[in-house]
Amino acid sequence: MKELIRKLVETFGPSGVEEEIRAVIRAEVEPLVDDVRVDALGNLIVRKKGTEGEKRIALDAHMDEIGVMVTYVDEKGFARFTNIGGVSPLTCVGGRVIFANGTMGVIGLEQKREDRSKTPKLDQLFIDTGATSREDCPIQVGDAASFWRPLVAQSSRYIAKALDDRIGCAILIETLRRLEPTVHDIYVSFSVQEEIGLYGARTSAYGIAPDIAIAVDVTGTGDTPECHPMAVELGKGPAIKVKDSRMIAHPAVKDLMVQSAQEAGIPYQLEVLNAGTTDAAAIQITRAGVPTGCLSVPCRHIHSPSEMVDETDVENSVRLLLGVCRRYSETG
Ligand code: CO
Ligand code: ZN
């Protein structure tokens, strides 16, 4: 899966500008499914028909990533910016951002800040493209950029920007590749605009009208120095969500995932996440409600340009989803 993951994380796609990443994913999944559509918000929704097809299972991963957007370009050609999703100034300074037209920018920090011991605010940072004036600046107000880092695979870890949530996209593509015929229809939504408010998943789930849904996304861990206590570690298996800050996973879906993991001998962890949420929170309250769960890939340094996941957790996430599709076909 390494080359697939590389392709996905290195493709441009901040929230609202998902055309490129959608085209890359579409090319991967089109040969694997029975139909493909793009809804009004830009969600890529594919279906693999079941042998009977009376029920619908929806799987979701968001294809957008965090980033920045230009708010102002000054007369010297330096750009000020706002955040797209959760961006910390701490992970910005000295970093590189890339725009849709390929322009690279370096994020600089005002030197004459009042209290230099304090964490700077985003509005004390600027993007330097090397331009010398507003006129020759290759970027303009409203242009979006993503952080730029290439993928590194080191021992059993992947390190990259946008593993949140391209790793979920990779897991769902791989699941479609390995999926055996099922009784029920399997829908997969590669959703837009998660990072700014779970918007894509809301319309895509409404359109699919699933009987059961599972979002695949990353979650935090409790295995780094002096971090908040959390019973999730890298490499100990996919995490089955019990609760996060915006949802309680539907107990039947959570149990289906636990039983599928136990049946296949897949290691798993139970996840209670204090801060943060996923598309699952939006899906479960669409229409008259959808029983929804979430499969989380343990991830360190979330929303930094160097997120980290373990390859065994990725592989076990694919196996777990295949088990869930099979088990739901037999028992659902
Ligand atoms: Co995120
Ligand atoms: Zn995410």
Side-chain angles (χ1 to χ4, degrees):
M1 286 175 75
K2 183 170 139 191
E3 287 318 306
L4 173 64
I5 295 169
R6 184 192 309 280
K7 198 190 288 181
L8 294 176
V9 298
E10 293 185 0
T11 298
F12 179 82
S15 312
V17 202
E18 293 97 349
E19 290 81 0
E20 262 180 61
I21 183 64
R22 184 169 54 240
V24 166
I25 294 174
R26 185 178 187 135
E28 294 291 332
V29 294
E30 210 144 38
L32 307 172
V33 297
D34 296 298
D35 44 74
V36 178
R37 69 171 196 267
V38 176
D39 78 1
L41 258 66
N43 300 299
L44 176 69
I45 301 165
V46 303
R47 178 174 67 137
K48 187 131 175 161
K49 274 193 212 153
T51 50
E52 284 161 34
E54 61 192 71
K55 287 192 179 177
R56 304 189 188 115
I57 308 175
L59 305 174
D60 168 283
H62 67 90
M63 60 181 166
D64 62 314
E65 62 183 308
I66 59 166
V68 297
M69 183 180 280
V70 175
T71 53
Y72 181 78
V73 181
D74 72 17
E75 57 284 359
K76 292 267 175 64
F78 295 103
R80 299 291 180 161
F81 60 92
T82 187
N83 58 303
I84 299 174
V87 172
S88 166
L90 282 174
T91 60
C92 283
V93 179
R96 295 176 193 184
V97 292
I98 186 165
F99 290 82
N101 66 6
T103 298
M104 284 270 188
V106 181
I107 299 184
L109 171 61
E110 291 177 1
Q111 290 181 339
K112 288 190 183 165
R113 302 188 316 282
E114 251 175 35
D115 187 352
R116 297 188 58 183
S117 65
K118 274 199 196 144
T119 303
K121 301 221 164 62
L122 275 188
D123 61 11
Q124 295 173 308
L125 309 183
F126 54 86
I127 296 170
D128 180 1
T129 60
T132 52
S133 71
R134 188 180 284 138
E135 290 66 41
D136 79 356
C137 186
I139 53 174
Q140 59 177 9
V141 173
D143 286 352
S146 64
F147 294 91
W148 173 247
R149 294 286 163 98
L151 175 91
V152 170
Q154 184 164 272
S155 56
S156 69
R157 317 292 205 195
Y158 292 118
I159 304 166
K161 61 106 170 157
L163 282 168
D164 173 11
D165 185 26
R166 305 285 167 72
I167 200 65
C169 298
I171 286 166
L172 290 181
I173 292 167
E174 187 65 20
T175 300
L176 284 170
R177 283 180 182 160
R178 296 193 212 167
L179 195 64
E180 313 240 315
T182 54
V183 174
H184 304 304
D185 283 359
I186 310 279
Y187 284 79
V188 178
S189 174
F190 300 93
S191 303
V192 297
Q193 297 189 30
E194 189 269 355
E195 296 291 358
I196 57 166
L198 321 177
Y199 299 131
R202 247 156 108 170
T203 63
S204 85
Y206 191 100
I208 296 166
D211 295 282
I212 173 180
I214 295 174
V216 183
D217 206 334
V218 296
T219 190
T221 64
D223 61 355
T224 54
E226 304 294 325
C227 62
H228 296 296
M230 185 175 175
V232 172
E233 291 176 53
L234 240 58
K236 295 283 170 69
I240 297 169
K241 191 182 296 291
V242 180
K243 181 187 179 299
D244 65 26
S245 65
R246 291 222 356 226
M247 85 173 299
I248 291 173
H250 193 286
V253 183
K254 186 202 77 187
D255 291 346
L256 173 68
M257 291 164 76
V258 168
Q259 286 154 6
S260 303
Q262 287 171 346
E263 188 180 54
I266 300 166
Y268 68 94
Q269 318 179 65
L270 292 178
E271 174 208 355
V272 178
L273 179 69
N274 263 329
T277 193
T278 72
D279 278 345
I283 297 168
Q284 73 164 351
I285 54 169
T286 197
R287 289 189 175 251
V290 177
T292 305
C294 180
L295 179 65
S296 299
V297 183
C299 181
R300 291 180 185 163
H301 322 302
I302 292 180
H303 285 197
S304 82
S306 297
E307 300 173 328
M308 184 189 290
V309 300
D310 190 274
E311 86 186 344
T312 64
D313 293 338
V314 176
E315 168 64 20
N316 283 325
S317 297
V318 174
R319 292 177 59 214
L320 180 49
L321 287 172
L322 290 169
V324 165
C325 292
R326 194 165 47 234
R327 195 178 174 91
Y328 187 72
S329 269
E330 289 159 7
T331 63

